Amino acid sequence: MAEKTEAGLRTQTAGTANKKWDPKSGGEHRADRLFSGVSTTAGSLILALLAAVAIFLMLSSQGVFFASSETIAEEVGFAQGKSFWEYAGLAIFGTLLASIIALVIAVPFAVAISLFISHYAPRRLSTFFGYIIDLLAAIPSVVFGLWGMWTLEPLMRPVFTTISKILTPVFTFFSGTQTEVDGVITYEGGLPGFNWLAANFSWWPIQPDAAAFTPPARNILMGGVILAIMILPIITALCREVFLQTPRLQEEASLALGATRWEMIKMVVLPHGRSGIVSASMLGLGRALGETMALLMVLSPGLMLNFKLMQPGQHSTIASQIALKFPEASGLESNFLIALGLILFVITFVVNFIARMIVNRYAEFSGANA
């Protein structure tokens, strides 16, 4: 009888051991369902908020898209007779120009700082610099605007003056000297074709006026410098993480074959982190496109289609135009500015979407994951 009981217990134990865990039974299943429900709700809420913002912008701005140019000229005073697309095109041009200037300045510095932190600095020093970079990213934009307006702007005047003295003779050599006869502007001398382009297209970048500096330094180049300082921590932090993911064995193999540290970085680290650098730059671009307060405080606004980067009153951005005009706007003027916001929303969404695609591609093909 005892043997039968023992055999039955062994059979029951074996059956319990071989029995697969059923996730649909017990408290563990309830916890999983709760966590899954909370996660799904949170993800859906983000999509719902994004859709709500897009629907609001489209519904509020549809009257502007279908309004005639005459109606906009009559009811939107700050448009100064321009149609919506003319006004939006000039604002988009200023927005992209400031963001591109910021990227051109910020990306080389960000890559250099990231390489110093990840491959040159001692551990304690790299940790300290990492904290500093993270703290810079947390500074409000209005603080950057105040600092740029009162401290950086006087310091940049002699720099812009020097750049103007260097570039003006070069541009004059290409496009010639500007003369005006009976209200007609022509360019004498210069290289064939360049003088014709400078005389017939005000947006042509190679002309003496493009390099002229007019103080104060409240121009689009100054705005680009401020944006570069603001996006520098973001790009630096992302590039640092990408460089730290370089496979250690590849670095050591390169050094073992006789490469110097710089050759190892050039042949191993930078190719491995190329996609990461591009994605970090795109995320920085998305941050620069929507910046408002810093540019509003630094720029002397204007809506012109030219490359006079060092003259005030030439360019402005979509975000700064909205912040500047919206407090006094009413009726169709408000809808006009909301339509500008919709365009900025689409541009920022596209830029961030492309950046996320590049990040996902990097995560899939990274050598660190091999």
Side-chain angles (χ1 to χ4, degrees), residues 53-135:
V53 172
I55 292 172
F56 163 75
L57 292 174
M58 289 187 290
L59 292 179
S60 300
S61 59
Q62 61 180 351
V64 176
F65 294 122
F66 295 105
S68 62
S69 301
E70 293 77 11
T71 303
I72 292 178
E74 293 177 359
E75 300 187 21
V76 183
F78 57 80
Q80 299 178 353
K82 300 182 181 67
S83 66
F84 170 76
W85 292 110
E86 291 174 344
Y87 193 97
L90 296 175
I92 292 172
F93 175 77
T95 302
L96 296 178
L97 184 60
S99 301
I100 292 173
I101 292 173
L103 281 184
V104 171
I105 297 173
V107 171
F109 282 101
V111 172
I113 295 171
S114 302
L115 289 174
F116 174 76
I117 294 175
S118 61
H119 288 81
Y120 283 93
R123 181 176 297 274
R124 291 185 178 180
L125 187 60
S126 63
T127 302
F128 172 75
F129 273 105
Y131 289 150
I132 295 298
I133 293 298
D134 294 337
L135 288 176

Side-chain angles (χ1 to χ4, degrees), residues 185-207:
I185 298 177
T186 59
Y187 284 81
E188 298 181 355
L191 300 180
F194 283 84
N195 49 14
W196 181 83
L197 290 170
N200 291 274
F201 300 99
S202 60
W203 51 265
W204 179 247
I206 304 178
Q207 52 179 303

Side-chain angles (χ1 to χ4, degrees), residues 56 58 82 114 125 172 199 207 211 225 268 270 274 294 335 355 360:
F56 163 75
M58 289 187 290
K82 300 182 181 67
S114 302
L125 187 60
T172 302
Q207 52 179 303
V225 172
V268 178
L270 291 180
R274 185 182 296 114
N335 297 335
N360 292 336

Side-chain angles (χ1 to χ4, degrees), residues 36 39 44 92 96 99 143 157 165 187 195 209 219 222 242 245 257 281 286 295 300 303 309 322-323 365-366 368:
S36 177
S39 302
S44 302
I92 292 172
L96 296 178
S99 301
V143 176
R157 291 186 187 183
K165 290 180 179 179
Y187 284 81
N195 49 14
D209 287 347
N219 47 55
M222 183 66 188
V242 169
Q245 291 180 12
L257 291 173
S281 302
L295 289 179
S300 177
L303 288 172
L309 304 182
I322 294 174
F365 297 102
S366 173

Side-chain angles (χ1 to χ4, degrees), residues 57 232 350:
L57 292 174
L232 182 64
V350 171

Side-chain angles (χ1 to χ4, degrees), residues 23 25-39:
S25 62
E28 295 181 358
H29 174 56
R30 288 193 295 269
D32 289 341
R33 283 192 301 178
L34 178 61
F35 180 76
S36 177
V38 172
S39 302

